[in-house]
Amino acid sequence: MAQVPQTFFDALAVRAWCGLALDALGRAREEIDAINVYPVADGDTGTNLYLTVESAAAAVEAVFEGHEAGGGPGPRPEAGPTLADAVHAMAHGALIGARGNSGTILAQLLRGMAQVLAGDESAGRADGQGLRLALRQAADSARQAVAHPVEGTVLTVASAAADAADAAGAAEGDCGAVARAAHEGARAALAETPDRLAVLRRAGVVDAGGRGLVAVLAALVATFTGETPRDLHARVDAGAGPPRGATECADGAVVPDPAGPAFEVIYLLEAGDTAVARLRERLDRLGDSLVVVGGDGLWNVHVHVDDAGAAVEAGVEAGRPYRIRITHFGAGDVHTTGAGRARGERAERAVVAVVPGEGLAGLYTEAGATAVLARPGEPPASGELVEAVRRAHAREVVLLPNDAELRHTAAAAAEQVRAEGIRVALIPTRSAIQGIAALAVHEPGRRFDEDVVSMTSAAGATRYAEVTVAERQSWTMAGICQAGDILGLVDGDVAVIGQDVTATAEAVLDRMLAAGGELVTLVLGDDAPESVAAHLETRVRAGHLAVDTVVYHGGRQGAVLLIGVE
């Protein structure tokens, strides 16, 4: 369906821009991946930009859906989200979903724009002057986020876009004119990137991150004018060879320079400004391509290093790092690919699972699965699941969403990778507990269909529950709960409302075991009382002699306690 052009920059324009930018990057992803030679020729810039914008777009959609749903008990609001609501969501979504060097810089570009566009929350919309100021703040803040800015990169393209927008001073109220000027300035600067960066000139390509930004700005033009600007050829000299220090494979792909850092480390970090300033200094000494973006206590950290452990430890000293992603250049994700297996060798079968906590991620990984970490309230997008399936590098993949609300997202990811020739079976697990049960009977050596049937049966035979804390007053199947109440959910529905974690867990477990069972699984969150596991184990032994209990530590998983009964 065609987009309706927007005159001013308001919440609807933000929504339209995110959707158009996602479409544009989806079309250009493979082309951008193919020209990715700087800072590391790892061929993923287009994919990283796509995943970053996908996360931003999903966050904006969630804001609109929240307003349409009314936000809880009470009358539904007549007005939709404000411009401030939409740009804050866009920036936050990009921040938590940023992937790679270019994705992290794009997240800061969007954050810089949000800082200006959300400045006057009463306005509700911005004109061309506001858009021009937003583009300038975006370019400046992105440059400040990079430890050692290099010309001929996305930073140069962003600055050129802001400069061109500044020069378009005649039509202050026209967002379309400003967007068009910014796009033309970025496009011209992109064409010149090989002249500014020797590695691009030797490879005969323009900068991949800059090419992605031009696509995003073209979507901005389409948002305000309904017109899609003409494209730019990504390769400036088809006869040029690979960059010096890199090699070219038989299929034309460029592989990384072995003399560069071995690992890319990315994580989200909860920390204060002072701690982050110290972290920047320490990481700058450890490696290169350092980009730290964000603010207000939440940051996205990206760096290339030889000592990945030291980079993570630096984050631990600064605050609380999570969603840690370590990629060994040329060898895929070191946490998720088969140990010691050459990248060219496909495994016969793999399991990809979404898990809600670092502890469970470790448990799944030890069992041989590719784990996709989901932070509470921030489920992975379909693109992340697609990338996880690709990293698993197998002919056959079993996909475990482990959340009822992720079933459609997982189905979309499965359809996409099936088109790439990968055989995928989606088992509709609704909890990480059911995923554990399925993984326990997984046998790669038997026929695929038999394995899927066995895993599906094990998951379906596992009842699941969780003990969590109510965030607000709400109506439930067990009555009205207040913020701070302890809730016991069985198979997704609230069954018990209490005031004490242990007592509520007891009531939930008794209810589940009343229907029988042979094995109880407990997964403890960081906020679970230290004594709750021992207390529940004792209770099971006392009342159910034939029932065994196993205990795992799930870390920061959203729920205080997960319970399974098989």
Side-chain angles (χ1 to χ4, degrees), residues 9 14 60 82-92 110 113-114 117-118:
F9 212 148
V14 175
V60 173
T82 65
L83 174 60
D85 292 334
V87 294
H88 280 315
M90 174 185 71
H92 180 72
L110 297 180
M113 292 187 69
L117 295 172

Side-chain angles (χ1 to χ4, degrees), residues 386-400:
V386 169
E387 284 305 300
V389 171
R390 290 171 178 159
R391 290 199 310 273
H393 205 53
R395 296 182 179 87
E396 301 169 339
V397 173
V398 180
L399 186 55
L400 307 176

Side-chain angles (χ1 to χ4, degrees), residues 398 425 427 446-457:
V398 180
I427 298 178
R446 61 185 165 195
R447 292 178 56 248
F448 184 64
D449 291 340
E450 292 177 357
D451 198 28
V452 170
V453 168
S454 178
M455 294 175 72
T456 302
S457 178

Side-chain angles (χ1 to χ4, degrees), residues 236-260:
V236 296
D237 179 4
R244 186 169 57 200
T247 56
E248 189 168 19
C249 299
D251 62 359
V254 180
V255 299
D257 180 357

Side-chain angles (χ1 to χ4, degrees), residues 123-220:
R125 64 184 190 179
D127 60 8
Q129 172 70 2
L131 177 56
R132 186 158 49 247
L133 294 173
L135 290 168
R136 171 54 60 196
Q137 175 65 15
D140 292 347
S141 64
R143 192 168 285 269
Q144 292 165 7
V146 177
H148 302 284
V150 174
E151 296 305 328
T153 66
V154 64
L155 297 176
T156 304
V157 176
S159 294
D163 291 343
D166 285 340
E172 289 195 359
D174 188 349
C175 285
V178 173
R180 189 179 286 110
H183 173 262
E184 286 301 319
R187 192 171 179 274
L190 177 64
E192 296 173 357
T193 54
D195 297 329
R196 290 173 170 260
L197 198 56
V199 67
L200 301 178
R201 185 169 60 255
R202 288 192 295 268
V205 297
V206 297
D207 179 65
R211 170 67 181 87
L213 180 58
V214 168
V216 171
L217 290 173
L220 187 64

